[in-house]
């Protein structure tokens, strides 16, 4: 089922998500719905708070970017209760966007590699190191679980330059090709 994506201004996007229970009934369906929602919106990652669920769950499928970023080839993951346990000191600034911020793209500096511990959809513990754009996607989605969003990492000047777009998102008037849940007026 395609779910509405919560946009900028929704309080759930600023909440620290609670741990997810991998034994929760309906979790498999929620994961399937999150992938379907993400694919419908042409996204490569989606965190549960973005669909109004304040739990520590995210899905990623960055394979569509593999032509430009080979590290994203076959990079499809479900991460339950992910924790970034190590970040490289080296950073890189690249443009990114977010399904909760339709029409906004900004350069964000992020660690070029991260090590992450999480449970997969079967409840098994995993620990992996990701580099390049794959690391960027993981960091972006993990931020959602801590109530942070990518515009928090841009300069105040860049935020001000995006003010009219942010206001349009809050008002529900931003152009968007997928189903969203804007802030109630």
């Amino acid at each position: 089922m395609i779910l509405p994506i919560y946009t900028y201004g929704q309080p759930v996007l600023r909440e620290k998500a609670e741990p997810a229970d991998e034994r929760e009934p309906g979790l498999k369906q929620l994961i399937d719905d999150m992938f379907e929602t993400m694919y419908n919106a042409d996204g490569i990652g989606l965190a549960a708070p973005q669909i109004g669920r304040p739990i520590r769950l995210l899905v990623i499928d960055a394979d569509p970017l593999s032509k430009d970023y080979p590290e994203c080839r076959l990079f499809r993951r479900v991460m339950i209760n992910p924790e970034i346990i190590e970040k490289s000191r080296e950073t890189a600034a690249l443009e990114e966007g977010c399904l909760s911020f339709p029409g906004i793209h900004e350069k964000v500096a992020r660690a070029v590699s991260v090590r992450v511990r999480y449970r997969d959809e079967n409840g098994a513990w995993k620990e992996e190191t990701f580099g390049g754009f794959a690391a960027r996607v993981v960091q972006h989605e993990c931020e959602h679980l801590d109530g942070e969003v990518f515009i928090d990492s841009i300069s105040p000047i860049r935020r001000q330059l995006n003010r009219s777009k942010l206001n349009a998102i809050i008002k529900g008037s931003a152009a968007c090709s997928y189903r969203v849940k804007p802030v109630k007026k």
Side-chain angles (χ1 to χ4, degrees):
M1 172 181 11
I2 296 171
L3 305 168
I5 294 175
Y6 283 54
T7 56
Y8 176 66
Q10 287 283 3
V12 70
L13 295 177
R14 291 302 193 169
E15 294 175 22
K16 186 167 175 75
E18 296 294 322
D21 181 353
E22 67 275 0
R23 299 168 308 224
E24 177 184 322
L27 187 65
K28 182 183 179 342
Q29 184 62 53
L30 177 61
I31 291 167
D32 291 345
D33 291 347
M34 287 177 67
F35 272 115
E36 185 177 3
T37 299
M38 180 186 72
Y39 292 139
N40 180 70
D42 290 326
I44 57 169
L46 186 67
Q50 292 181 275
I51 55 156
R53 298 287 305 270
I55 60 172
R56 299 186 77 76
L57 167 67
L58 60 88
V59 298
I60 295 172
D61 187 348
D63 189 63
L65 302 177
S66 62
K67 182 178 176 187
D68 294 324
Y69 302 100
E71 65 274 19
C72 292
R73 187 173 185 285
L74 303 175
F75 180 43
R76 186 180 192 276
R77 300 286 189 286
V78 172
M79 295 184 177
I80 301 170
N81 300 318
E83 177 188 2
I84 295 175
I85 55 177
E86 188 177 334
K87 288 184 179 184
S88 66
R89 290 181 189 220
E90 182 184 358
T91 62
L94 292 174
E95 188 173 284
E96 55 186 77
C98 180
L99 295 175
S100 294
F101 292 80
I104 297 180
H105 295 84
E106 286 291 336
K107 280 192 174 182
V108 177
R110 297 201 184 273
V112 297
S113 69
V114 293
R115 190 166 45 147
V116 183
R117 183 178 328 155
Y118 64 95
R119 286 191 187 267
D120 67 13
E121 62 271 29
N122 300 311
W125 280 107
K126 304 278 185 175
E127 190 172 304
E128 294 183 271
T129 299
F130 302 105
F133 210 86
R136 175 171 298 277
V137 175
V138 170
Q139 290 171 83
H140 178 110
E141 298 308 328
C142 283
E143 281 183 352
H144 279 296
L145 305 180
D146 291 326
E148 300 170 12
V149 292
F150 87 109
I151 63 162
D152 296 340
S153 299
I154 64 175
S155 72
I157 292 169
R158 294 302 310 164
R159 245 189 321 277
Q160 187 60 36
L161 290 171
N162 280 292
R163 181 64 44 210
S164 63
K165 290 180 182 179
L166 293 169
N167 287 336
I169 293 169
I170 289 172
K171 292 176 186 174
S173 60
C176 191
S177 63
Y178 47 88
R179 189 172 164 213
V180 297
K181 183 169 177 69
V183 177
K184 292 207 185 270
K185 298 173 186 166

